[in-house]
């Protein structure tokens, strides 16, 4: 809206002429977006939120200390603490942390995993000098001191004094292969760049696709980044990129470590939905087939939780993956079977077919033939398909799920799915019947239980 501006009239005390009145001046509104005030770079992101966050943190902190085994309370406190940091940080500080501090710290952590620095520092609680660590690992003392100083500044080890450090729990955990292996997997062997090479190329790849959803498995960001025809999984198992394949499989085991598992009592009702109704009279009957089950983490957890359960347990994955299973890692009762889930399913009529984080590796179009192979093997009215995957909520999604969603699009043109997207894929596209969603918490995978549709369900579906 135009604004009428009346300039002040100056009074005259001399002369015979009077000043004519000045007509109003119309100022047109400024069109288009205005430049952002540069001063916000040096202002906290949301200082007004700090008092409320501090009050919340105090309440949640007392609850967390009072109930140390309460996973949900601890996560709520952690979320509030992160929100406090972000509220206090200035945009410049956030940028520097993300671009400088986090990236160089990641590189230092990867170097430390590769050279055994964290394994040595974390073998006990005794403080150790840079000279001692360098002597044990073969590192040049001067440069190791610089790396350790940065890792300490980031809070991952404790600086005791000049050139002297002691481990945190995180530092100790880096010495455990299934957790520490993630770092060299992401930085990659040699000068390959590993997973980070894909992440670095992703903005350019999206521009090349005119900013559309990645859906191609033959022209994915991995192929763009590495200038190859191989997809991410083929690349991992290429000898030229060894040991990325073994590192990836180990990393997948650590991803689920310490998280709720589908066999937990308050997760999926295994006894009610699987064990009851199982054909235990047939000694050859298969209770559970883990399709694409890597090196058997989930089947072993099932066997540990239900040691007396009757029926065969069958682990299926590609030959190079199954071959990585070390002696003593799996119960002898778990059968290993080399199998490609894009081919006919050899195990017919099992009580349950189980897929954990399989379909999130593939775009919707490529999921259909995978599901069709399972459908063809299922026994009507008896077999169930259990899909252990994220179900992203429409609002308030957890950062673990959202980061994995972007990662899957970046690596393999795939995605994590919402409930509506699961219904579209499983029922409308693949022709299965979803009989239940079994969630256990935001940011943790759910069990999606499916059966072959009955005539009644198809009629009901047609009437919707």
């Amino acid at each position: 809206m135009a604004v009428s501006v009346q300039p002040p009239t100056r009074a005259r005390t001399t002369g015979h002429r009077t000043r004519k009145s000045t007509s109003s001046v119309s100022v047109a509104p400024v069109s288009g977006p205005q430049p952002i005030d540069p001063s916000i770079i040096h202002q906290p992101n949301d200082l007004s939120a700090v008092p409320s966050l501090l009050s919340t943190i105090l309440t949640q902190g007392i609850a967390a200390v009072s109930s140390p085994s309460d996973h949900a309370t601890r996560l709520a406190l952690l979320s509030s603490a992160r929100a406090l940091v972000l509220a206090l940080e200035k945009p410049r500080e956030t940028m520097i942390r993300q671009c400088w501090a986090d990236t160089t710290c990641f590189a230092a952590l990867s170097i430390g995993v590769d050279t055994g620095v964290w394994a040595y520092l974390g073998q006990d609680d005794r403080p150790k000098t840079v000279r001692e660590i360098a002597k044990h690992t073969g590192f040049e003392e001067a440069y190791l001191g610089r790396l350790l100083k940065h890792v300490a500044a980031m809070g991952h080890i404790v600086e005791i004094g000049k050139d002297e450090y002691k481990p945190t729990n995180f530092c100790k955990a880096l010495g455990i292969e299934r957790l520490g292996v993630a770092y060299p997997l992401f930085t990659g062997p040699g000068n390959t760049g590993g997973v980070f090479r894909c992440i670095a190329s992703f903005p350019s790849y999206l521009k090349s696709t005119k900013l559309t959803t990645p859906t191609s498995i033959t022209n994915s960001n991995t192929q763009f980044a590495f200038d190859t025809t191989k997809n991410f999984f083929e690349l991992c198992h290429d000898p030229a990129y060894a040991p990325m394949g073994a590192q990836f499989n180990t990393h997948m085991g650590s991803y689920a470590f310490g998280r709720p598992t589908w066999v937990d009592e308050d997760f999926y009702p295994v006894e009610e939905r699987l064990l009851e109704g199982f054909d235990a009279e047939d000694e050859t009957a298969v209770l559970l087939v883990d399709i694409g089950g890597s090196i058997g983490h989930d089947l072993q957890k099932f066997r540990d939780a239900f040691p007396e359960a009757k029926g065969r347990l069958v682990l299926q994955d590609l030959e190079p993956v199954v071959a990585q299973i070390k002696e003593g890692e799996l119960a002898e009762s778990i059968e290993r079977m080399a199998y490609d889930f894009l081919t006919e399913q050899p195990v017919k009529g099992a009580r349950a077919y189980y897929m954990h984080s399989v379909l999130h590796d593939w775009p919707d179009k490529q999921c259909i033939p995978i599901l069709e192979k399972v459908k063809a093997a299922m026994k009507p009215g008896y077999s169930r398909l259990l899909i252990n995957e994220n179900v992203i909520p429409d609002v308030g999604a957890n950062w673990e799920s959202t980061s994995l969603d972007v990662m899957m699009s970046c690596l393999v043109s795939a995605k994590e799915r919402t409930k509506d997207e699961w219904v579209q894929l499983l029922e409308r596209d693949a022709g299965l019947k979803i009989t239940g969603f079994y969630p256990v918490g935001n940011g943790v995978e759910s069990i999606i239980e499916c059966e072959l549709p009955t005539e009644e369900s198809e009629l009901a579906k047609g009437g919707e």
Side-chain angles (χ1 to χ4, degrees):
M1 184 176 70
V3 179
S4 179
V5 179
Q6 293 284 352
T9 302
R10 184 172 57 185
R12 292 180 178 268
T13 57
T14 58
H16 302 284
R17 291 182 300 173
T18 59
R19 187 180 180 91
K20 293 182 179 180
S21 62
T22 305
S23 61
S24 63
V25 178
S26 296
V27 179
V30 179
S31 60
Q34 297 302 296
I36 297 174
D37 181 1
S39 68
I40 68 168
I41 293 174
H42 306 294
Q43 297 172 12
N45 283 314
D46 192 2
L47 201 58
S48 64
V50 170
S52 174
L53 285 168
L54 287 173
S55 176
T56 299
I57 287 171
L58 177 61
T59 302
Q60 292 172 335
I62 293 172
V65 172
S66 302
S67 305
S69 61
D70 188 338
H71 184 64
T73 298
R74 184 190 66 82
L75 287 180
L77 173 60
L78 185 60
S79 177
S80 297
R82 287 197 176 103
L84 177 63
V85 170
L86 291 174
L88 287 170
E89 270 189 337
K90 297 177 180 180
R92 176 199 168 274
E93 293 166 342
T94 303
M95 180 272 292
I96 293 294
R97 174 175 56 80
Q98 291 178 339
C99 295
W100 294 11
D102 289 343
T103 52
T104 54
C105 184
F106 196 104
L109 293 173
S110 182
I111 294 166
V113 170
D114 267 342
T115 58
V117 168
W118 314 127
Y120 180 70
L121 179 59
Q123 67 184 355
D124 53 45
D125 291 324
R126 179 179 63 85
K128 298 174 181 66
T129 64
V130 173
R131 176 167 295 179
E132 181 183 352
I133 301 169
K135 183 179 179 180
H136 182 83
T137 59
F139 232 112
E140 180 194 67
E141 181 181 340
Y143 195 68
L144 176 61
R146 292 166 64 184
L147 291 178
L148 293 180
K149 190 175 289 291
H150 180 45
V151 175
M154 297 298 289
H156 300 313
I157 57 177
V158 180
E159 189 175 45
I160 299 300
K162 184 176 183 296
D163 291 335
E164 188 175 15
Y165 300 92
K166 75 173 187 178
T168 60
N169 275 357
F170 173 67
C171 172
K172 293 178 182 179
L174 287 173
I176 302 172
E177 182 187 17
R178 57 182 163 179
L179 188 134
V181 76
Y183 292 84
L185 168 66
F186 272 68
T187 53
N191 64 352
T192 62
V195 173
F196 273 149
R197 183 167 174 174
C198 295
I199 295 172
S201 72
F202 198 42
S204 296
Y205 172 76
L206 280 181
K207 289 178 182 177
S208 75
T209 66
K210 302 187 184 305
L211 305 180
T212 56
T213 301
T215 57
S216 173
I217 63 172
T218 57
N219 187 26
S220 69
N221 177 53
T222 293
Q223 286 137 339
F224 177 83
F226 284 87
D227 191 21
T228 180
T229 58
K230 295 181 178 180
N231 64 37
F232 177 75
F233 301 108
E234 292 168 338
L235 195 76
C236 279
H237 293 291
D238 185 331
Y241 296 96
M244 282 184 65
Q247 289 172 339
F248 177 80
N249 291 329
T250 303
H251 176 51
M252 288 297 95
S254 69
Y255 164 71
F257 185 66
R259 291 160 63 88
T261 65
W262 72 286
V263 296
D264 291 346
E265 186 176 350
D266 57 349
F267 201 149
Y268 177 74
V270 172
E271 294 193 31
E272 174 189 343
R273 303 298 295 172
L274 292 189
L275 302 186
E276 292 180 14
F278 171 65
D279 185 8
E281 299 299 321
D282 182 356
E283 294 184 356
T284 65
V286 176
L287 174 61
L288 185 61
V289 181
D290 188 354
I291 304 171
S294 186
I295 55 178
H297 308 105
D298 284 3
L299 275 186
Q300 186 61 58
K301 290 174 183 175
F302 181 89
R303 176 52 74 209
D304 292 342
F306 301 95
E308 304 302 322
K310 296 182 179 180
R312 294 161 56 198
L313 304 181
V314 181
L315 170 66
Q316 296 180 333
D317 213 311
L318 297 174
E319 175 62 37
V321 178
V322 176
Q324 292 174 17
I325 301 173
K326 300 174 183 176
E327 185 176 352
E329 280 189 330
L330 287 184
E332 292 183 3
S333 60
I334 298 175
E335 302 175 30
R336 288 83 156 168
M337 180 183 294
Y339 169 65
D340 179 349
F341 50 57
L342 293 173
T343 63
E344 180 182 353
Q345 172 58 252
V347 181
K348 312 292 186 184
R351 176 61 166 154
Y353 298 88
Y354 172 84
M355 291 193 292
H356 188 179
S357 298
V358 170
L359 299 180
H360 85 149
D361 290 337
W362 300 88
D364 288 352
K365 184 178 179 181
Q366 279 68 38
C367 287
I368 304 303
I370 298 173
L371 292 167
E372 286 177 343
K373 303 303 181 187
V374 182
K375 278 180 61 181
M378 293 173 69
K379 180 179 178 180
Y382 176 75
S383 297
R384 293 193 166 100
L385 170 60
L386 306 179
I387 298 171
N388 194 346
E389 296 255 9
N390 282 303
V391 179
I392 304 285
D394 293 332
V395 178
N398 179 271
W399 63 267
E400 286 199 39
S401 301
T402 56
S403 63
L404 187 57
D405 178 42
V406 177
M407 185 69 75
M408 299 317 295
S409 66
C410 174
L411 299 181
V412 290
S413 297
K415 62 181 178 180
E416 305 302 311
R417 295 173 171 88
T418 64
K419 186 175 182 178
D420 287 345
E421 288 172 330
W422 279 118
V423 171
Q424 176 66 46
L425 173 62
L426 297 174
E427 292 199 336
R428 301 190 183 105
D429 295 341
L432 289 159
K433 176 188 175 186
I434 297 175
T435 50
F437 286 87
Y438 294 84
V440 73
N442 192 5
V444 182
E445 294 96 335
S446 300
I447 286 290
I448 309 167
E449 184 190 81
C450 303
E451 294 180 347
L452 293 176
T454 61
E455 185 176 342
E456 293 80 5
S457 67
E458 286 297 286
L459 288 173
K461 187 176 176 182
E464 291 178 356

